[in-house]
Amino acid sequence: MKVKKKKKSYKTTNLPPGTIAYKGEKQSTITNIEIVNYSKEDFTSLNSNSVADAFNFKGNDHVTWININGLNNVKDIETLGLHYKLHPLTLEDIVNTAQRPKLEEFDSYMLVVFKMLFIKNDDEIHYEQLSLIIGEDYVLTFQEADGDVFDDLRERLSSAKGRIRAQGSDYLMYAILDAVVDNYFTVIEVLGDKVQELEGYLFQSKDADDRTPGQIQELKQEILKLRRSVYPLREVISRMEKTDCPFIDEKTHNYLRDLYDHILQVSESIDLYREMIWSLMDTYMTIISNKMNEIMKVLTIIATIFIPLTFIAGIYGMNFKNMPELNSEYGYFILMGVMFIMLIFMLIYFRKKRWL
């Protein structure tokens, strides 16, 4: 039965620049807003479904982190953007989940768009766009839906572990990026396990599996998607490291350099597994070819054994009357003995040549 593929639609809506229209698959019925307001001595955390609750924390000599879950509720995004005086093009980029990772600087804030990757219970890699806006004393993050990689960061903020509570919004931005990049290593590890498991199966399995090419192709598509998500972030962090943005402290640039080293390690790992995946198909075809050669060798040996036997049987199968051996009392048994001896001789010869 032939399966019909769903035809993709490449139509785009011609909207004016700055139009806030959500482009994504994940839907949230309500906007979940997580507000963390802190200083070295004070910490406040609030979860709300109302954007207005985020307006009370601006300009209070604390660092405020506002995390918004649910980009399809564009009215709430627009309301928050008006309060923080975000450019319409910034809001357009936030709700466009197909956006390439990038960095844009404005007068009072900086926009960073990148991909957040994490693994769920099914060992499947989940991709989600994360938009980050950093201002002088605040950080805004916009996620498509609930679920992220910031649990350790939240615990450090609430318990005042490390230096984060004593630093500004620029260090919070670094901590968010660092949490995302660190989780890249987890994703790479899971992907590496899949590649090595398939590679081991190819060499250890005795029988060829028709599903193997599909599994290789699936891994190939996964690594290409991962590469498209991670590679542009190198340029983003490199630009961020060299920027002269007034609300990014010079000390934070040292941490950004370390973060750049981490993203380089991730990129190198992706390239390594990419080469391994590309070689898996060649390995599979080589194994299939070797198995085919083994089959052909066995069939050739069988045919070679029966060629002289068939020749002898053909001679004595001719309908000539003047063939003395046909009238011999032991002719049949002699002929069968000769054929048996030839069979044994050829088997010994093939075995000695290690063709069997």
Side-chain angles (χ1 to χ4, degrees):
M1 180 178 177
K2 190 175 180 180
V3 180
K4 294 183 178 180
K5 293 184 178 180
K6 185 179 179 181
K7 189 176 180 180
K8 294 183 179 179
S9 176
Y10 295 96
K11 294 182 179 180
T12 57
T13 305
N14 188 17
L15 298 174
T19 302
I20 307 174
Y22 175 64
K23 298 176 183 178
E25 299 178 356
K26 299 181 180 179
Q27 302 288 334
S28 299
T29 55
I30 58 176
T31 303
N32 296 319
I33 302 175
E34 178 187 8
I35 305 169
V36 177
N37 191 59
Y38 65 90
S39 64
K40 189 174 182 180
E41 297 81 14
D42 188 29
F43 175 84
T44 304
S45 178
L46 173 66
N47 291 312
S48 175
N49 296 324
S50 175
V51 177
D53 291 337
F55 300 162
N56 302 324
F57 295 92
K58 186 179 179 182
N60 58 359
D61 297 327
H62 286 55
V63 176
T64 305
W65 175 21
I66 301 176
N67 184 38
I68 297 93
N69 294 313
L71 300 183
N72 58 302
N73 302 308
V74 294
K75 290 296 182 182
D76 293 336
I77 305 296
E78 189 173 7
T79 301
L80 191 66
L82 290 174
H83 179 75
Y84 281 93
K85 299 179 180 179
L86 304 181
H87 196 281
L89 291 177
T90 298
L91 299 178
E92 181 183 10
D93 289 340
I94 289 173
V95 296
N96 181 11
T97 59
Q99 189 67 247
R100 187 178 186 270
K102 67 175 184 177
L103 181 147
E104 290 185 352
E105 296 185 51
F106 295 85
D107 294 336
S108 58
Y109 65 90
M110 181 169 65
L111 168 67
V112 185
V113 180
F114 51 98
K115 300 298 181 181
M116 179 171 60
L117 280 58
F118 52 93
I119 303 293
K120 289 193 175 180
N121 297 329
D122 53 3
D123 279 346
E124 182 181 352
I125 302 176
H126 291 260
Y127 298 79
E128 184 172 331
Q129 176 166 301
L130 183 65
S131 302
L132 183 150
I133 293 176
I134 173 176
E136 187 175 358
D137 58 354
Y138 66 89
V139 171
L140 309 178
T141 51
F142 298 84
Q143 301 177 206
E144 295 182 55
D146 292 336
D148 52 42
V149 297
F150 303 133
D151 290 342
D152 291 339
L153 177 58
R154 294 184 180 96
E155 201 275 332
R156 284 162 52 197
L157 285 168
S158 61
S159 60
K161 290 182 179 179
R163 60 176 64 89
I164 188 167
R165 288 264 292 269
Q167 305 295 326
S169 59
D170 55 338
Y171 189 86
L172 176 60
M173 173 202 67
Y174 156 75
I176 293 173
L177 285 168
D178 186 56
V180 172
V181 173
D182 282 349
N183 207 63
Y184 285 172
F185 286 101
T186 303
V187 172
I188 291 296
E189 183 178 353
V190 171
L191 183 63
D193 290 341
K194 291 181 179 180
V195 174
Q196 293 174 4
E197 180 182 352
L198 183 56
E199 186 180 38
Y201 172 78
L202 282 176
F203 286 102
Q204 296 175 8
S205 177
K206 296 182 180 179
D207 299 320
D209 192 342
D210 293 338
R211 295 174 300 176
T212 301
Q215 293 173 340
I216 295 175
Q217 186 65 26
E218 185 178 338
L219 280 175
K220 188 184 297 185
Q221 293 175 355
E222 193 71 68
I223 199 71
L224 289 176
K225 186 177 181 181
L226 182 62
R227 194 171 186 267
R228 286 195 298 267
S229 300
V230 172
Y231 258 65
L233 189 57
R234 299 193 306 178
E235 179 185 351
V236 170
I237 296 177
S238 178
R239 282 186 56 195
M240 191 182 301
E241 176 194 346
K242 300 171 184 177
T243 186
D244 56 354
C245 186
F247 36 81
I248 296 183
D249 191 82
E250 183 63 31
K251 294 180 180 179
T252 307
H253 286 277
N254 297 328
Y255 296 108
L256 292 175
R257 278 190 288 271
D258 181 69
L259 184 63
Y260 183 73
D261 291 339
H262 289 176
I263 197 66
L264 280 181
Q265 293 178 29
V266 173
S267 301
E268 290 172 357
S269 298
I270 291 175
D271 286 337
L272 173 63
Y273 289 123
R274 179 171 176 261
E275 293 298 326
M276 291 179 64
I277 291 172
W278 281 95
S279 66
L280 283 180
M281 183 60 78
D282 293 335
T283 303
Y284 173 75
M285 296 305 297
T286 301
I287 292 174
I288 293 297
S289 178
N290 290 337
K291 289 182 178 180
M292 182 62 67
N293 289 337
E294 288 293 327
I295 295 173
M296 292 302 298
K297 183 174 72 173
V298 172
L299 295 177
T300 302
I301 289 174
I302 294 174
T304 303
I305 290 174
F306 276 92
I307 285 175
L309 304 182
T310 305
F311 175 74
I312 295 174
I315 290 178
Y316 289 99
M318 294 185 295
N319 296 321
F320 290 112
K321 293 183 178 180
N322 190 19
M323 294 185 72
E325 296 88 349
L326 296 179
N327 299 321
S328 173
E329 183 179 356
Y330 303 102
Y332 171 77
F333 301 102
I334 294 173
L335 185 62
M336 292 300 295
V338 170
M339 295 174 70
F340 181 75
I341 292 172
M342 291 181 65
L343 173 63
I344 297 300
F345 174 78
M346 284 189 290
L347 289 176
I348 293 174
Y349 180 77
F350 292 153
R351 186 69 176 178
K352 187 176 180 180
K353 290 289 186 179
R354 298 189 179 183
W355 295 345
L356 285 176

